[in-house]
Amino acid sequence: MECAARGFATRCVGPPTRRCGQCGAVAYCSVSHQISHWSYHKEECERLEEQMRRVDLLNDFPFTFTEEATIQVSQKHETRCSFFIKRGLHRVGMWMYECNCGALAFDSFNIEGWHLPSSSCPCRGPLSPITKQLCTWKDYFEWRKLPLDSPVALLLHWPLTIYHAVQAIGMGNLTPQISDELRIHYLGPQKELGQLGVFAELQALFPGLRIYVDLIGPDVPQHMDGEMISLCRYSPCMGKECECKNSSKILNSGSKPALVSAVSLQLRRGFYHDRYNDITKDSFPPHIVIAPNAGIAAYPSWLPTIELIKEIQVPAVFSDYCEEACHLAACCIKTITGQPLSSPIELNPFRQPMAVEESTLFIPCYSNCFIFAM
């Protein structure tokens, strides 16, 4: 947490211990900084106050570890590191990118799996098909027969957010009778680059479809630009005798995807507006564009990308860490396109169930917390 007036006034004199008496969402290091910031803050204060009333809703998850991962992390009684240490998952496999004690370095695709027993992770296909739309984490865990003490939702929020985005814009009736494939352009991947195995869950969420995901962003390492990864099975569990070990290999890296793959990922380095023509030169346009934790208001590079998305007229779904970030993004999109959002800001039921440790607001922040569409 930092002083809300940082950069607006003189150098901060100490920690931000003085919270706004009306909204309670921001804090200041001194009375003088609070006064100097009021001309800016008064425009957002009432809106932030309304968002603060929904704090309990943001923290509402069905898991046995919910309080530990939400309130205790927000109040610094627990940390992400301590959470994973207790479960033997700290800096292990795909989990190593979930805390800040190590640098993000993606040298190659991670195939180490869940590091959990088979009973606690989706290492195999579902026992039954989806018979109704999944609307909550509880729905998903009941369908996949997982216990509510399993931490897998901390990684599965990536594919589940894709699933929810497709439902949110009315593409949920996409079936093999209509189309046999789903093409996704996924913008700005970061820690997902070390967790690509979780995207295999898309084959369970969209049965009967071939899923093609182009992951495009400046954080894709240069040496991985153009790499294609075919997910031919689910990420494995830690059980040596589990049948998930006997299924086909999880990936096939190379210039062409494996024909048996249900999910194909291709990595592209650069900004979407610079790479779009290359991506679509030899393929069809996407069915949907998805940009997780986009930060549209924070990065000027989004301007030409938003203009491109408007031009190609493809549904685009964005997420961000808090409602305020989405509100600022919506203002930017309206300024650029002259049009309001096609789908309003709403809470993502499949947001990551662990609070972000270093938030700029007292409002809890979660990865993929809110979504909206243009």
Side-chain angles (χ1 to χ4, degrees), residues 169-184:
I169 62 171
M171 288 178 60
N173 61 348
L174 188 67
T175 67
Q177 287 71 38
I178 300 172
S179 172
D180 63 355
E181 64 182 34
L182 175 60
R183 300 184 302 274
I184 300 168

Side-chain angles (χ1 to χ4, degrees), residues 27-199:
Y28 301 91
C29 67
S30 63
V31 174
S32 62
H33 274 206
Q34 184 172 5
I35 293 173
S36 64
H37 191 245
W38 175 245
S39 60
Y40 174 85
H41 179 60
K42 67 181 179 181
E43 302 295 331
E44 64 181 8
C45 189
E46 185 176 348
R47 187 172 65 246
L48 291 175
E49 182 182 11
E50 181 64 27
Q51 294 174 24
M52 286 289 284
R53 295 193 183 105
R54 294 189 280 272
V55 165
D56 288 344
L57 182 61
L58 297 188
N59 291 334
D60 185 21
F61 295 99
F63 305 109
T64 60
F65 55 80
T66 292
E67 183 174 356
E68 178 186 359
T70 60
I71 297 173
Q72 292 184 23
V73 169
S74 296
Q75 295 177 350
K76 302 187 184 302
H77 297 151
E78 288 283 351
T79 66
R80 284 178 168 247
C81 289
S82 65
F83 181 92
F84 292 114
I85 288 171
K86 291 176 184 177
R87 291 160 178 80
L89 298 172
H90 187 237
R91 302 200 67 185
V92 172
M94 296 188 295
W95 302 96
M96 73 171 62
Y97 307 107
E98 285 304 316
C99 60
N100 297 322
C101 61
L104 296 180
F106 309 110
D107 295 325
S108 62
F109 174 55
N110 193 309
I111 59 173
E112 293 188 59
W114 290 107
H115 291 272
L116 292 167
S118 61
S119 60
S120 295
C121 62
C123 62
R124 295 160 291 179
L127 297 176
S128 60
I130 298 177
T131 57
K132 64 177 183 178
Q133 181 177 332
L134 304 176
C135 297
T136 66
W137 276 121
K138 188 175 181 181
D139 290 345
Y140 172 80
F141 271 60
E142 288 179 350
W143 169 57
R144 287 301 249 139
K145 309 299 182 187
L146 297 171
L148 291 175
D149 62 352
S150 170
V152 292
L154 297 174
L155 302 185
L156 285 170
H157 71 105
W158 301 120
L160 266 295
T161 292
I162 292 176
Y163 170 83
H164 182 64
V166 169
Q167 307 298 323
I169 62 171
M171 288 178 60
N173 61 348
L174 188 67
T175 67
Q177 287 71 38
I178 300 172
S179 172
D180 63 355
E181 64 182 34
L182 175 60
R183 300 184 302 274
I184 300 168
H185 286 181
Y186 188 100
L187 312 188
Q190 293 181 318
K191 65 172 62 176
E192 304 99 295
L193 296 170
Q195 302 168 339
L196 294 178
V198 302
F199 288 91

Side-chain angles (χ1 to χ4, degrees), residues 308-323:
L308 170 65
I309 292 172
K310 179 186 177 183
E311 179 184 337
I312 63 177
Q313 297 183 331
V314 171
V317 179
F318 304 85
S319 76
D320 223 314
Y321 290 98
C322 67
E323 188 175 359

Side-chain angles (χ1 to χ4, degrees), residues 4-27:
R6 183 177 179 183
F8 285 82
T10 57
R11 182 177 298 180
C12 291
V13 297
T17 57
R18 183 181 180 84
R19 292 173 67 165
C20 173
Q22 180 171 327
C23 70
V26 299

Side-chain angles (χ1 to χ4, degrees), residues 217-239:
D219 289 305
V220 173
Q222 186 66 54
H223 70 277
M224 296 179 75
D225 184 20
E227 183 171 354
M228 186 168 286
I229 299 164
S230 296
L231 303 178
C232 305
R233 65 167 169 85
Y234 299 91
S235 289
C237 66
M238 65 189 301

